[in-house]
Amino acid sequence: DAGVIQSPRHEVTEMGQEVTLRCKPISGHNSLFWYRQTMMRGLELLIYFNNNVPIDDSGMPEDRFSAKMPNASFSTLKIQPSEPRDSAVYFCASSLWAGRALEQFFGPGTRLTVL
Amino acid sequence: GESVGLHLPTLSVQEGDNSIINCAYSNSASDYFIWYKQESGKGPQFIIDIRSNMDKRQGQRVTVLLNKTVKHLSLQIAATQPGDSAVYFCAERGASYGKLTFGQGTILTVHP
């Protein structure tokens, strides 16, 4: 079992550029979560999907952030345009929604630095 | 200027000691709780979970205790090892079925 796969592992970009983070959930899992972790705010849920449908995006900071899940095995988190305050580690997690989502399995994260 | 960040609680123990990490949660309606371990440069890793209809659950070297009266959760690690050094997070699930809310974390350092 490969676990949750995220790419890239590290991203350094300049302010104003578009950033796309990618996630492949564990095969068979039907819930996917995007988190952001910073020293200031800890671990925050941005958005989660169930069966490829966004369920709760209340944690998405602003319109510069968007997430998609075109199929069960792939999701993207896009920031356009990026700003220095977006610098953080972004985690993707997946779980099996068996009536109620339980244990979430986290990927290794993408460390984003916006200069 | 100086950045202000979370000041995580820290716990420092000697190898072989037992460790107790505490967590206060906020939502009395939360029905499910998880402890995660996060090592440097890695994503959080599941340790143990407990449902709100239980007050204690044991795993291998770990025990989670839940006190709903005071909304308190604790993680006990027996015979702590250097490999246990990490940041430990508690998480609670409230009304939204899929949504976990994470605590700020506790840094555990185990000295050989």
Coordinates of all heavy atoms in Angstrom, one line a residue, chain B residues 27-75:
Chain B
N27 N -15.8 21.0 22.1 CA -17.2 20.8 21.7 C -17.8 19.6 22.5 O -17.3 18.5 22.3 CB -17.2 20.5 20.2 CG -18.6 20.4 19.6 OD1 -19.5 20.4 20.4 ND2 -18.6 20.3 18.3
S28 N -18.7 19.9 23.3 CA -19.3 18.8 24.1 C -20.1 17.8 23.2 O -20.4 16.7 23.7 CB -20.3 19.4 25.2 OG -21.2 20.2 24.6
A29 N -20.4 18.2 22.0 CA -21.1 17.3 21.1 C -20.2 16.4 20.3 O -20.6 15.6 19.5 CB -21.9 18.1 20.1
S30 N -18.9 16.6 20.4 CA -17.9 15.7 19.7 C -18.1 14.3 20.1 O -18.2 14.0 21.3 CB -16.5 16.2 20.0 OG -16.2 17.5 19.4
D31 N -18.1 13.4 19.2 CA -18.4 12.0 19.4 C -17.2 11.1 19.1 O -17.3 9.8 19.3 CB -19.6 11.6 18.7 CG -19.4 11.5 17.2 OD1 -18.4 12.1 16.7 OD2 -20.2 10.9 16.5
Y32 N -16.1 11.6 18.7 CA -15.0 10.7 18.2 C -13.7 11.5 18.4 O -13.7 12.7 18.0 CB -15.3 10.3 16.8 CG -14.2 9.4 16.2 CD1 -14.0 8.1 16.6 CD2 -13.4 9.9 15.1 CE1 -13.0 7.3 16.0 CE2 -12.5 9.1 14.5 CZ -12.2 7.8 15.0 OH -11.3 7.1 14.4
F33 N -12.7 10.8 18.9 CA -11.4 11.5 19.2 C -10.3 10.6 18.7 O -10.4 9.4 18.8 CB -11.3 11.8 20.7 CG -12.5 12.5 21.3 CD1 -13.6 11.9 21.7 CD2 -12.4 13.9 21.4 CE1 -14.7 12.6 22.3 CE2 -13.5 14.6 21.9 CZ -14.6 14.0 22.4
I34 N -9.3 11.3 18.2 CA -8.1 10.6 17.7 C -6.8 11.3 18.2 O -6.8 12.5 18.4 CB -8.0 10.6 16.2 CG1 -9.3 10.1 15.5 CG2 -6.9 9.8 15.6 CD1 -9.3 10.1 14.0
W35 N -5.8 10.5 18.5 CA -4.5 11.0 18.8 C -3.6 10.7 17.5 O -3.6 9.5 17.0 CB -3.9 10.3 20.0 CG -4.4 10.9 21.3 CD1 -5.3 10.4 22.1 CD2 -3.9 12.1 21.9 NE1 -5.5 11.2 23.2 CE2 -4.6 12.3 23.1 CE3 -2.9 13.0 21.6 CZ2 -4.4 13.3 24.0 CZ3 -2.7 14.1 22.4 CH2 -3.4 14.3 23.6
Y36 N -2.9 11.7 17.1 CA -1.9 11.6 16.0 C -0.5 11.9 16.5 O -0.4 12.8 17.4 CB -2.3 12.5 14.9 CG -3.4 12.1 14.0 CD1 -4.7 12.4 14.2 CD2 -3.1 11.3 12.9 CE1 -5.7 12.0 13.4 CE2 -4.1 10.9 12.0 CZ -5.4 11.3 12.3 OH -6.4 10.9 11.4
K37 N 0.4 11.3 15.9 CA 1.9 11.6 16.2 C 2.5 12.2 14.9 O 2.2 11.6 13.8 CB 2.6 10.3 16.5 CG 4.1 10.4 16.6 CD 4.7 9.0 16.8 CE 6.2 9.0 16.9 NZ 6.8 7.6 17.0
Q38 N 3.2 13.3 15.0 CA 3.8 13.8 13.9 C 5.3 14.0 14.1 O 5.7 14.8 15.0 CB 3.2 15.2 13.5 CG 3.8 15.8 12.2 CD 3.1 17.1 11.8 OE1 2.5 17.8 12.6 NE2 3.2 17.4 10.5
E39 N 6.1 13.3 13.4 CA 7.6 13.4 13.4 C 8.0 14.5 12.5 O 7.3 14.8 11.5 CB 8.2 12.1 13.1 CG 7.9 11.0 14.1 CD 8.4 9.6 13.6 OE1 7.8 9.0 12.8 OE2 9.4 9.2 14.2
S40 N 9.2 15.0 12.7 CA 9.7 16.1 11.9 C 9.7 15.8 10.5 O 10.3 14.7 10.1 CB 11.1 16.5 12.4 OG 11.6 17.5 11.7
G41 N 9.2 16.6 9.6 CA 9.2 16.5 8.2 C 8.2 15.5 7.7 O 8.2 15.1 6.5
K42 N 7.3 15.0 8.5 CA 6.3 14.0 8.1 C 4.9 14.4 8.4 O 4.7 15.4 9.1 CB 6.6 12.6 8.8 CG 7.9 12.0 8.5 CD 8.1 10.7 9.1 CE 9.4 10.0 8.8 NZ 9.6 8.7 9.5
G43 N 3.9 13.7 7.8 CA 2.6 14.0 8.1 C 2.1 13.3 9.4 O 2.8 12.4 9.8
P44 N 1.0 13.8 9.9 CA 0.5 13.1 11.2 C 0.2 11.7 10.9 O -0.3 11.3 9.9 CB -0.7 13.9 11.5 CG -0.5 15.3 10.8 CD 0.2 15.0 9.6
Q45 N 0.5 10.9 11.9 CA 0.3 9.4 11.9 C -0.7 9.0 13.0 O -0.5 9.3 14.1 CB 1.6 8.7 12.0 CG 1.5 7.2 11.9 CD 2.9 6.6 12.1 OE1 3.9 7.2 12.5 NE2 3.0 5.3 11.9
F46 N -1.7 8.2 12.6 CA -2.7 7.7 13.6 C -2.0 6.9 14.7 O -1.2 6.1 14.4 CB -3.7 6.9 12.8 CG -4.7 6.2 13.7 CD1 -5.9 6.8 14.1 CD2 -4.5 4.9 14.2 CE1 -6.8 6.1 14.9 CE2 -5.4 4.2 15.0 CZ -6.6 4.9 15.3
I47 N -2.4 7.2 15.9 CA -2.0 6.3 17.1 C -3.1 5.5 17.6 O -3.0 4.3 17.7 CB -1.4 7.2 18.2 CG1 -0.3 8.1 17.7 CG2 -0.9 6.3 19.4 CD1 0.2 9.1 18.8
I48 N -4.2 6.2 18.0 CA -5.3 5.5 18.7 C -6.5 6.4 18.7 O -6.4 7.6 18.6 CB -4.9 5.1 20.1 CG1 -5.9 4.1 20.7 CG2 -4.7 6.3 21.0 CD1 -5.5 3.5 22.1
D49 N -7.7 5.8 18.7 CA -8.9 6.6 18.7 C -9.8 6.1 19.8 O -9.6 5.0 20.4 CB -9.6 6.5 17.3 CG -10.0 5.1 16.9 OD1 -9.7 4.1 17.6 OD2 -10.5 5.0 15.8
I50 N -10.9 6.9 20.1 CA -11.8 6.5 21.1 C -13.2 7.2 20.8 O -13.2 8.3 20.3 CB -11.3 6.9 22.5 CG1 -12.3 6.3 23.6 CG2 -11.2 8.4 22.7 CD1 -11.7 6.4 25.0
R51 N -14.2 6.4 21.0 CA -15.6 7.0 20.7 C -16.1 7.6 22.1 O -15.7 7.2 23.1 CB -16.5 6.0 20.2 CG -16.1 5.4 18.8 CD -17.1 4.4 18.3 NE -16.7 3.8 17.1 CZ -16.9 4.2 15.9 NH1 -17.6 5.3 15.8 NH2 -16.4 3.6 14.9
S52 N -17.0 8.5 22.0 CA -17.5 9.2 23.2 C -18.3 8.3 24.1 O -18.5 8.7 25.3 CB -18.4 10.4 22.8 OG -19.5 9.9 22.0
N53 N -18.7 7.1 23.7 CA -19.4 6.2 24.6 C -18.4 5.3 25.4 O -18.8 4.4 26.1 CB -20.4 5.3 23.8 CG -19.7 4.4 22.8 OD1 -18.5 4.5 22.5 ND2 -20.5 3.5 22.2
M54 N -17.1 5.6 25.3 CA -16.1 4.9 26.0 C -15.3 5.9 26.9 O -15.3 7.1 26.6 CB -15.1 4.2 25.1 CG -15.8 3.2 24.1 SD -14.6 2.7 22.8 CE -13.5 1.7 23.8
D55 N -14.7 5.4 27.9 CA -13.8 6.3 28.7 C -12.4 5.9 28.7 O -11.5 6.6 29.2 CB -14.4 6.5 30.1 CG -14.5 5.2 30.8 OD1 -13.9 4.2 30.4 OD2 -15.3 5.1 31.8
K56 N -12.1 4.7 28.1 CA -10.7 4.2 28.1 C -10.6 3.3 27.0 O -11.5 2.5 26.7 CB -10.4 3.5 29.4 CG -9.0 3.0 29.5 CD -8.7 2.3 30.9 CE -7.3 1.8 31.0 NZ -7.1 1.2 32.3
R57 N -9.4 3.4 26.3 CA -9.1 2.4 25.3 C -7.6 2.2 25.3 O -6.8 3.1 25.4 CB -9.6 2.9 23.9 CG -9.4 1.9 22.8 CD -10.3 2.2 21.6 NE -10.3 1.1 20.7 CZ -10.1 1.1 19.4 NH1 -9.8 2.3 18.9 NH2 -10.1 0.0 18.7
Q58 N -7.2 0.9 25.1 CA -5.8 0.6 25.2 C -5.3 0.0 23.8 O -6.0 -0.7 23.2 CB -5.5 -0.4 26.3 CG -5.7 0.1 27.7 CD -5.3 -0.9 28.7 OE1 -6.0 -1.9 29.0 NE2 -4.2 -0.6 29.4
G59 N -4.1 0.4 23.5 CA -3.4 -0.1 22.3 C -2.1 -0.7 22.8 O -1.9 -1.0 24.0
Q60 N -1.2 -0.8 21.9 CA 0.1 -1.3 22.2 C 1.0 -0.2 22.8 O 1.3 0.8 22.2 CB 0.8 -1.9 21.0 CG 2.1 -2.6 21.3 CD 2.7 -3.2 20.0 OE1 2.4 -2.9 18.9 NE2 3.7 -4.1 20.2
R61 N 1.2 -0.3 24.1 CA 2.0 0.7 24.8 C 1.3 2.1 25.0 O 1.8 3.0 25.6 CB 3.4 1.0 24.2 CG 4.5 0.1 24.5 CD 5.9 0.6 24.3 NE 6.1 1.3 23.1 CZ 6.4 2.6 23.0 NH1 6.6 3.3 24.0 NH2 6.7 3.1 21.8
V62 N 0.1 2.2 24.4 CA -0.6 3.5 24.5 C -2.0 3.3 25.1 O -2.6 2.2 24.8 CB -0.7 4.2 23.2 CG1 0.6 4.7 22.7 CG2 -1.4 3.4 22.2
T63 N -2.5 4.2 25.9 CA -3.8 4.2 26.4 C -4.4 5.6 26.3 O -3.7 6.6 26.6 CB -3.8 3.8 27.9 OG1 -3.2 2.5 28.1 CG2 -5.2 3.8 28.5
V64 N -5.6 5.7 25.8 CA -6.3 7.0 25.8 C -7.4 7.0 26.8 O -8.2 6.0 26.9 CB -6.9 7.2 24.3 CG1 -7.8 6.1 23.8 CG2 -7.6 8.6 24.3
L65 N -7.5 8.0 27.5 CA -8.6 8.2 28.5 C -9.4 9.4 28.1 O -8.9 10.5 27.7 CB -8.0 8.5 29.9 CG -7.1 7.4 30.5 CD1 -6.5 7.8 31.8 CD2 -7.9 6.1 30.6
L66 N -10.7 9.3 28.3 CA -11.7 10.3 27.9 C -12.5 10.7 29.1 O -13.2 9.8 29.7 CB -12.5 9.9 26.7 CG -13.7 10.8 26.3 CD1 -13.1 12.2 25.8 CD2 -14.5 10.2 25.2
N67 N -12.5 11.9 29.5 CA -13.4 12.4 30.6 C -14.3 13.5 30.0 O -13.9 14.6 29.8 CB -12.5 13.0 31.7 CG -13.4 13.5 32.9 OD1 -14.6 13.8 32.7 ND2 -12.8 13.4 34.1
K68 N -15.5 13.1 29.7 CA -16.5 14.0 29.0 C -17.0 15.0 29.9 O -17.4 16.1 29.5 CB -17.6 13.2 28.4 CG -17.2 12.2 27.3 CD -18.3 11.5 26.7 CE -18.9 10.4 27.6 NZ -17.9 9.3 27.9
T69 N -17.0 14.8 31.2 CA -17.5 15.7 32.2 C -16.7 17.0 32.1 O -17.3 18.1 32.1 CB -17.4 15.2 33.6 OG1 -18.2 14.0 33.6 CG2 -18.0 16.2 34.6
V70 N -15.4 16.9 32.0 CA -14.5 18.1 31.9 C -13.9 18.3 30.6 O -13.0 19.1 30.4 CB -13.4 18.0 33.0 CG1 -14.0 18.1 34.4 CG2 -12.6 16.8 32.8
K71 N -14.4 17.5 29.6 CA -13.9 17.6 28.2 C -12.4 17.6 28.1 O -11.7 18.4 27.6 CB -14.4 18.9 27.6 CG -16.0 18.9 27.4 CD -16.5 20.1 26.6 CE -16.4 21.4 27.4 NZ -17.1 22.5 26.7
H72 N -11.9 16.4 28.6 CA -10.5 16.2 28.7 C -10.1 14.9 28.1 O -10.8 13.9 28.4 CB -10.0 16.3 30.2 CG -8.5 16.2 30.3 ND1 -7.9 15.0 30.6 CD2 -7.6 17.1 30.3 CE1 -6.6 15.2 30.7 NE2 -6.4 16.5 30.5
L73 N -9.0 14.9 27.4 CA -8.5 13.6 26.7 C -7.1 13.5 27.1 O -6.3 14.5 27.2 CB -8.6 13.8 25.2 CG -8.6 12.7 24.3 CD1 -9.7 11.7 24.4 CD2 -8.6 13.2 22.8
S74 N -6.6 12.3 27.4 CA -5.2 12.1 27.6 C -4.7 10.9 26.9 O -5.4 10.0 26.6 CB -4.9 12.0 29.1 OG -5.4 10.8 29.6
L75 N -3.4 11.0 26.6 CA -2.7 9.9 26.0 C -1.6 9.4 26.9 O -0.7 10.2 27.3 CB -2.1 10.3 24.6 CG -1.3 9.3 23.9 CD1 -2.2 8.1 23.3 CD2 -0.5 9.9 22.7

